[in-house]
Amino acid sequence: MDATGFDAWTLTLAVFLPAVGALVMMAVPRARELELKMIALGASLVTLAVGVYLLFAFDYGNAGTLQFGVHKGWIDAINADYILGLDGLSLPLLILSMVIIPLCVIYSWEHIPEPGNAKAFLILMLILASGMNGTFVAQDLILFFVFFEVVLLPMYFMIGVWGGENRRYASLKFFLFTLFGSALMIVSFVALYFVATNDAGAALNTFDMSELAAAAGGDLARGTQAIIFAGLFMGFGIKVPMFPFHTWLPDAHTEAPTVGSVILAAILLKLGTYGFVRIALPFLPEGAAAWAPWIGLLAVIGIIYGALGCLAQTDMKRLIAFSSVAHMGFVMLGIATLTPIGINAAVFGMVAHGIITGMLFFLAGSVKERYHTLEISRLGGLLKSAPRMGWILAISAMASLGLPGLAGFWGEFPAILSAYSPGAGLSEETFRTYMVIAAVGTVFAAGYLLWLFQRSAFGEPKPEWEGHVIADVNRYEWAAWTPLIIAMVLFGWVPGLIFGVVDDVSIGIAESISTAVGGG
Amino acid sequence: MNLGALLAFVRPDLDWHALAPELTLLAVGTLVTVADIALDDKAKRMMPTLTGIGLLVTLVPILTLAVDGAERPMFGGAYVVDDFSLVLKALFILVGYVVVLMSVDYVREGDYYENEYYTLLLTSLLGMVMMASSRDLVSVFVALELLSIPAYMLAAWRKGGPRSNEAGLKYYLMGVFASAVMLYGMSLVFGVAGDTDFGTIAAALRGEGASPIVIVAILFVLIGFAFKVSAVPFHTWAPDTYEGAPTPVTAFLSVASKAAGFVALLGLVFVAFEGAADVVQPFFWVLAAVTMTVGNLIALRQTNIVRMLAYSGVAQGGFMLAPFAVAFEDDAWQLPGTDITTTPYFAIVVYAVIYAFMNLGAFSVVLAVSRRTRSGEISSYGGLFSYAPGMAVLMTLFLAALAGIPPASGFFAKFVVFWALAGAGTPAGWVLAVIVAVNAVIAFGYYARVLQQMWFEPVPEMVALGVDSGGDDELDFAEAADATAEQDEHGDAWLATETRQATMVRFTPGKIPMTGALAAALAITAIATLAFGVLPGLVSHFGEVATFHFGG
């Protein structure tokens, strides 16, 4: 299964090229800003080029198996190896991460937030890129954990140094919440190592994710699985974030600099949902089945709560942050159904949310730069003062509320649909109730997004802005945003681009769960 | 005893190769002393160089012994050179080397007695190196005193400063008290076992069961070492001593001295008290849980960085103690009489090695930064990133390591603790693992306060003087002799947080005056911290090969 030749290096390159770029940047003096930006852009574009190669070389007929595999010794004492691999589940998320980073570098070209220091800002961004790419391709639990944690400090500094008024509080809250989750997660990982068995009851004693997934819980008792699942749930659930652990998210988003918010929303949140699909579900099928109704419940609470939270916001960025809680609720609902459709919808939802919400945060950043405020009541008339930006906001808001024809639809609608007949013997009544609640949530979503759009874009510009020039989209913004807008439309019309890739994996996971639950 | 019996004394077989590291250290210490007497003042500048080279030379016989690989028991099994002892000896020597690098300019600029300082440091190191080979209550005790007594003096090295005197005195009083308790325990153990040899004690205790006398004996010995490793509630000396002692000495105490305590505990617990698992495991369970929790909670309240690091060291000690709570639960546990490595044992060795470098690194940064700010307050780190980004990044690396965030080395140390606790498979192990996890999160709270200062805050306009930065601000010894506490404005003493009569001075940020030695200390610790984090195999290898031999 291990790749040979150049293919064996592709994933390693994908993970470490940004870090190498960061190292090179450290050697360049701070004053030579242009060179620093060029190196950052170069490193992220070369990484993206590796991604493009992966897109072409990927064997789509075999999307369910790991490709471009690397398996080398790493920490012998604890049996943790350097294992990388790419399958249909990892591919879309990896590419998403590879695309978002260069866009963020381009956007930052003239938008390095206060207090400046492009060097540190871009270095942190590249370290983030390495951590995120690594998380999506790591196939060893300890390696996964390391990459999962690597992203914490850069994001902490990004919020804390370049953030808004309340940045100290927000950054520490972000860090402590996620650290708490990952501390329990690592205990669960170690537990998996020691207690996971194969069907014959022999201990596996491995961190190799594909082996653990193949064992599908082995003959572990349902109760044990549920306890270990709880640790994983804390680790991933806080990251997603699921209600009631979401409270760090609005603070972090509100305070983070624009690019920080974009990366946070577009990719970091996906580490949590990805963890559920990649690790929690396949490794502990019965634990997943035991928890699924509760995850579903928290997901729909998140949908409604996030929507109500949005309606109550007066700040555009905070509103988008709360909408993330709602959208990730749909993703989690899809996962909780334990069906192929649900998991497909979840992965689609992750990518779509990454594109759309990333776009919305870019817009919020640009609005803030022009108006120096995000108070929705003070905005207005964007379509008149900066029509292009107004229309981009329109498209993004429509995509976010799930309008058919744009990417958001394919994350939400199948997720709701999948709740109609959940898998693995889950109660249909419960999930159909969730389905109805989630459907109501989409109405709310239309409500708050249209209301946001109406208040900020319609009407005449407020008198207080008279005499101010509200510049329309500039060329850096065009460069950063065009790919996202294209992706929104493209995935809206051709959802098969993602569904086709993910399908094999989701079917595999759902089947192994129903076998394990049915057979156990 | 007649003359004939005395003459019949047979010199024990000495394995000169096995004793070469100890003898080299002894020779270097003697050389430093003699050179000081024989040479003029100018030559005294060579002392740290001489000490440093001597330490590196000491590594040579350790390496040859390691290559040879044979286990060399001596003195009837009371002193053994095996892989375990070699790994730990090398660690002590390297730690000593880094401490010398940290000390060079500090001691010179402070105009302290140079050669005595290095002689005492070498003597203490000799005690530690001996501790790694001790397999008998008597040799453990001799090694312990040999490493402790010079350390008491080093803690009080700035004898002009009241803080330093307090540090030395507190350390000394608590230290001898602990020794007394331990000795009493040892005498009881001897009473039960009839021998001081670890193997014999183990056999005797297995036969004895958990009788009251055995419980008291074991607890007293362990409590004695609990003082040494500053476990709660026996930690009270640590913050005051750490704060008052010269910073390089503090680093030395918090790393080497603590590691030596753990080395002794490893032998005692895994071999001598192996028959009394029912007493040992619950004791360490409670000790570890209380130590990490209390250490962390108090550390959260500290405003002085050295006190914060002191309490963080207490908490780290708690993490290191945790594997003892499941010492005998491991399936891989082998019967006594053979060489042992078990997961808990492995975890403690690995933790000690990783902890040594990350903590030394943090102290090196404190030393370097105080050369600029002359303050020990956490608030004086404000804006460090803006005027000394390299130093801020290094401190971030070390604090991330201490907090256990990958890819810095500390995460692997925490991980092996989880590994050991989970591997036991007992409910007690699982619960302690969760306690460790929660504590790891709490700990980030105080490391983050330093991070916040360095990265998020502006440069302070005024800083509270206090750190003994070495440098010109130190008083001469002549003046120091009649200096009183009021004259602290020259920064001759660390000002304790609670009794601070802070002298605020205007602070101008600027380049941190570095010296070659300090830079070398930073480089060594930073490379080790990063390398052990990215490739934990480097350090886990030492944990694996460090098999413990006993039984003659």
Side-chain angles (χ1 to χ4, degrees):
Chain A
M1 203 175 62
D2 288 357
T4 50
F6 177 68
D7 281 0
W9 287 94
T10 43
L11 293 184
T12 304
L13 286 174
V15 175
F16 291 105
L17 272 176
V20 171
L23 275 180
V24 173
M25 286 176 70
M26 282 181 200
V28 179
R30 199 196 292 187
R32 293 155 77 173
E33 220 166 86
L34 184 64
E35 286 167 47
L36 287 164
K37 285 173 182 165
M38 296 298 280
I39 298 172
L41 184 62
S44 55
L45 283 179
V46 175
T47 315
L48 179 60
V50 175
V52 173
Y53 173 80
L54 288 171
L55 275 179
F56 281 105
F58 191 81
D59 176 4
Y60 293 92
N62 261 328
T65 53
L66 292 171
Q67 303 176 25
F68 306 99
V70 191
H71 193 147
K72 293 268 183 293
W74 181 39
I75 319 177
D76 296 340
I78 57 167
N79 267 342
D81 290 341
Y82 178 76
I83 313 176
L84 302 180
L86 189 71
D87 63 6
L89 172 58
S90 302
L91 184 68
L93 293 165
L94 178 68
I95 300 295
L96 174 69
S97 160
M98 287 170 155
V99 169
I100 292 286
I101 292 295
L103 299 185
C104 286
V105 176
I106 294 171
Y107 184 83
S108 306
W109 210 263
E110 285 188 342
H111 291 79
I112 298 289
E114 284 297 311
N117 196 345
K119 177 177 173 180
F121 192 71
L122 294 171
I123 287 179
L124 289 178
M125 212 188 284
L126 290 180
I127 298 175
L128 269 171
S130 269
M132 296 182 303
N133 293 354
T135 312
F136 290 133
V137 297
Q139 300 296 339
D140 176 282
L141 282 181
I142 301 305
L143 196 62
F144 175 89
F145 174 77
V146 169
F147 286 128
F148 194 83
E149 297 286 282
V150 161
V151 300
L152 287 186
L153 272 182
M155 187 44 82
Y156 170 73
F157 289 132
M158 222 176 228
I159 300 173
V161 178
W162 291 273
E165 285 288 298
N166 224 344
R167 59 208 161 90
R168 290 178 197 88
Y169 171 76
S171 57
L172 190 62
K173 194 171 176 183
F174 157 76
F175 204 106
L176 288 181
F177 266 68
T178 38
L179 194 65
F180 180 73
S182 45
L184 293 179
M185 182 178 85
I186 189 75
V187 175
S188 282
F189 282 0
V190 176
L192 274 172
Y193 179 91
F194 284 107
V195 304
T197 59
N198 57 20
D199 284 329
L204 284 174
N205 285 4
T206 180
F207 284 122
D208 186 335
M209 285 159 64
S210 46
E211 277 184 49
L212 285 163
D219 71 344
L220 269 188
R222 192 181 177 99
T224 318
Q225 291 203 15
I227 292 172
I228 301 177
F229 194 95
L232 298 177
F233 175 78
M234 291 302 286
F236 300 138
I238 289 176
K239 197 92 172 180
V240 170
M242 294 195 70
F243 180 89
F245 310 117
H246 66 284
T247 58
W248 64 267
L249 183 80
D251 287 319
H253 267 315
T254 313
E255 302 304 329
T258 304
V259 172
S261 286
V262 172
I263 297 177
L264 190 60
I267 316 166
L268 283 197
L269 302 188
K270 276 66 194 184
L271 302 185
T273 42
Y274 172 79
F276 273 108
V277 181
R278 168 69 72 196
I279 294 173
L281 259 49
F283 293 9
L284 298 163
E286 292 197 55
W291 275 86
W294 302 104
I295 296 178
L297 178 66
L298 292 178
V300 291
I301 293 179
I303 293 172
I304 299 298
Y305 180 90
L308 293 177
C310 283
L311 289 170
Q313 298 312 313
T314 57
D315 180 290
M316 185 173 169
K317 212 171 170 191
R318 217 173 159 82
L319 189 152
I320 303 169
F322 269 100
S323 82
S324 280
V325 176
H327 283 121
M328 295 315 271
F330 283 106
V331 173
M332 288 311 298
L333 179 64
I335 293 174
T337 62
L338 307 179
T339 56
I341 309 177
I343 295 171
N344 271 342
V347 179
F348 203 107
M350 291 183 218
V351 178
H353 175 261
I355 297 168
I356 299 165
T357 309
M359 187 65 227
L360 283 171
F361 276 118
F362 270 138
L363 282 166
S366 289
V367 166
K368 167 109 186 195
E369 203 177 63
R370 287 160 173 80
Y371 290 91
H372 302 286
T373 181
L374 282 168
E375 280 297 314
I376 301 173
S377 55
R378 291 176 60 195
L379 305 173
L382 191 64
L383 281 171
K384 281 217 160 152
S385 46
R388 292 190 185 84
M389 197 187 278
W391 284 114
I392 295 175
L393 178 63
I395 298 172
S396 312
M398 297 302 157
S400 185
L401 65 81
L403 191 74
L406 292 168
F409 174 73
W410 297 106
E412 289 186 8
F413 176 68
I416 298 172
L417 196 65
S418 67
Y420 184 77
S421 56
L426 297 171
S427 151
E428 288 193 348
E429 289 77 25
T430 315
F431 274 84
R432 284 181 188 169
T433 315
Y434 295 162
M435 183 183 82
V436 173
I437 300 172
V440 173
T442 58
V443 180
F444 279 123
Y448 62 74
L449 282 160
L450 289 175
W451 197 30
L452 165 73
F453 180 61
Q454 185 191 351
R455 283 182 293 170
S456 56
F458 286 179
E460 292 294 322
K462 292 278 180 328
E464 63 172 310
W465 305 113
E466 216 159 301
H468 284 72
V469 181
I470 303 296
D472 211 334
V473 185
N474 65 33
R475 57 200 166 123
Y476 295 104
E477 288 165 341
W478 276 125
W481 296 351
T482 314
L484 295 179
I485 299 168
I486 294 174
M488 262 182 235
V489 179
L490 181 69
F491 290 132
W493 284 100
V494 199
L497 285 179
I498 292 177
F499 285 138
V501 180
V502 184
D503 208 29
D504 285 354
V505 182
S506 359
I507 292 174
I509 292 173
E511 270 178 4
S512 97
I513 293 174
S514 58
T515 326
V517 175
Chain B
M1 193 182 294
N2 59 27
L3 195 63
L6 275 180
L7 289 176
F9 168 77
V10 183
R11 192 185 61 124
D13 236 359
L14 288 183
D15 183 340
W16 295 105
H17 189 189
L19 289 176
E22 285 83 347
L23 294 174
T24 318
L25 267 184
L26 192 62
V28 176
T30 317
L31 191 66
V32 169
T33 312
V34 173
D36 180 59
I37 299 167
L39 300 175
D40 61 356
D41 274 1
K42 231 177 181 175
K44 287 183 182 169
R45 297 187 69 85
M46 289 163 37
M47 290 310 156
T49 319
L50 195 62
T51 314
I53 293 173
L55 286 172
L56 293 181
V57 170
T58 313
L59 282 176
V60 174
I62 295 179
L63 283 177
T64 59
L65 284 166
V67 170
D68 181 60
E71 277 157 3
R72 299 157 181 267
M74 280 172 282
F75 311 112
Y79 200 84
V80 181
V81 175
D82 54 11
D83 291 334
F84 167 80
S85 74
L86 290 175
V87 168
L88 269 302
K89 280 175 195 195
L91 174 69
F92 287 131
I93 298 294
L94 281 175
V95 167
Y97 184 70
V98 174
V99 170
V100 169
L101 289 175
M102 290 165 71
S103 306
V104 178
D105 299 287
Y106 183 92
V107 176
R108 179 169 302 151
E109 290 166 12
D111 207 12
Y112 303 122
Y113 298 107
E114 283 197 55
N115 86 303
E116 287 85 348
Y117 179 90
Y118 294 108
T119 311
L120 287 176
L121 197 63
L122 286 168
T123 316
S124 189
L125 276 174
L126 178 60
M128 292 169 185
V129 165
M130 285 171 64
M131 181 66 93
S133 283
S134 300
R135 303 288 192 274
D136 174 291
L137 290 184
V138 177
S139 47
V140 163
F141 186 74
V142 170
L144 185 71
E145 293 304 299
L146 186 58
L147 77 88
S148 297
I149 292 169
Y152 302 146
M153 288 189 262
L154 286 173
W157 206 242
R158 292 184 301 110
K159 58 182 186 176
R163 284 274 147 206
S164 187
N165 282 316
E166 180 192 340
L169 193 64
K170 269 196 178 152
Y171 188 31
Y172 170 69
L173 288 177
M174 287 311 224
V176 289
F177 178 61
S179 292
V181 173
M182 188 191 313
L183 262 188
Y184 184 57
M186 285 180 172
S187 70
L188 292 178
V189 171
F190 178 70
V192 174
D195 201 339
T196 54
D197 173 68
F198 282 1
T200 322
I201 293 171
L205 291 186
R206 263 199 305 279
E208 194 74 13
S211 64
I213 184 87
V214 169
I215 296 176
V216 171
I218 290 177
L219 288 188
F220 273 30
V221 174
L222 294 183
I223 285 172
F225 281 102
F227 273 102
K228 274 290 149 204
V229 301
S230 57
V232 177
F234 314 108
H235 66 291
T236 46
W237 60 272
D240 291 335
T241 301
Y242 285 6
E243 190 184 2
T247 314
V249 175
T250 305
F252 182 66
L253 294 181
S254 73
V255 169
S257 186
K258 180 173 277 186
F262 274 96
V263 167
L265 279 177
L266 280 170
L268 283 166
V269 170
F270 280 93
V271 183
F273 299 157
E274 180 267 338
D278 297 345
V279 185
V280 173
Q281 294 195 145
F283 174 77
F284 277 111
W285 198 98
V286 175
L287 195 69
V290 171
T291 301
M292 61 183 106
T293 311
V294 173
N296 271 332
L297 291 180
I298 304 182
L300 282 174
R301 297 177 42 99
Q302 301 308 314
T303 57
N304 179 300
I305 192 147
V306 176
R307 280 187 90 83
M308 189 277 273
L309 283 174
Y311 280 109
S312 119
V314 170
Q316 300 273 351
F319 293 134
M320 243 188 282
L321 285 169
F324 281 123
V326 293
F328 309 109
E329 305 289 356
D330 190 352
D331 291 340
W333 172 244
Q334 291 164 310
L335 288 176
T338 54
D339 292 337
I340 52 168
T341 45
T342 66
T343 313
Y345 168 96
F346 164 80
I348 294 165
V349 173
V350 168
Y351 206 120
V353 175
I354 289 178
Y355 172 74
F357 288 98
M358 61 190 184
N359 213 35
L360 280 180
F363 274 109
S364 303
V365 175
V366 170
L367 258 181
V369 171
S370 70
R371 290 170 69 83
R372 179 88 225 167
T373 62
R374 289 185 286 137
S375 172
E377 297 302 303
I378 293 178
S379 58
S380 74
Y381 280 71
L384 187 70
F385 178 66
S386 64
Y387 65 90
M391 202 56 76
V393 168
L394 280 178
M395 190 60 161
T396 306
L397 171 70
F398 296 128
L399 292 178
L402 287 165
I405 299 161
S409 61
F411 97 90
F412 187 66
K414 295 250 165 47
F415 180 83
V416 288
V417 170
F418 285 130
W419 176 259
L421 293 172
T426 58
W430 287 115
V431 174
L432 196 55
V434 172
I435 295 177
V436 170
V438 172
N439 267 292
V441 180
I442 299 176
F444 184 76
Y446 51 87
Y447 298 125
R449 299 223 341 260
V450 183
L451 293 180
Q452 284 183 334
Q453 285 293 341
M454 293 192 305
W455 288 75
F456 307 167
E457 302 296 328
V459 179
E461 283 182 11
M462 310 283 276
V463 295
L465 263 192
V467 134
D468 52 346
S469 56
D472 334 324
D473 304 294
E474 294 293 333
L475 292 178
D476 282 338
F477 265 121
E479 290 173 54
D482 33 55
T484 53
E486 287 82 5
Q487 285 172 305
D488 273 347
E489 56 176 300
H490 285 291
D492 191 46
W494 288 87
L495 293 178
T497 320
E498 56 277 48
T499 60
R500 185 195 324 133
Q501 307 146 342
T503 318
M504 302 294 284
V505 293
R506 188 159 293 286
F507 174 64
T508 39
K511 217 169 141 48
I512 286 173
M514 284 300 289
T515 63
L518 201 50
L522 282 168
I524 293 173
T525 49
I527 290 171
T529 303
L530 204 55
F532 291 166
V534 176
L535 298 170
L538 291 175
V539 62
S540 71
H541 170 73
F542 290 113
E544 282 183 303
V545 299
T547 50
F548 195 99
H549 177 85
F550 69 98

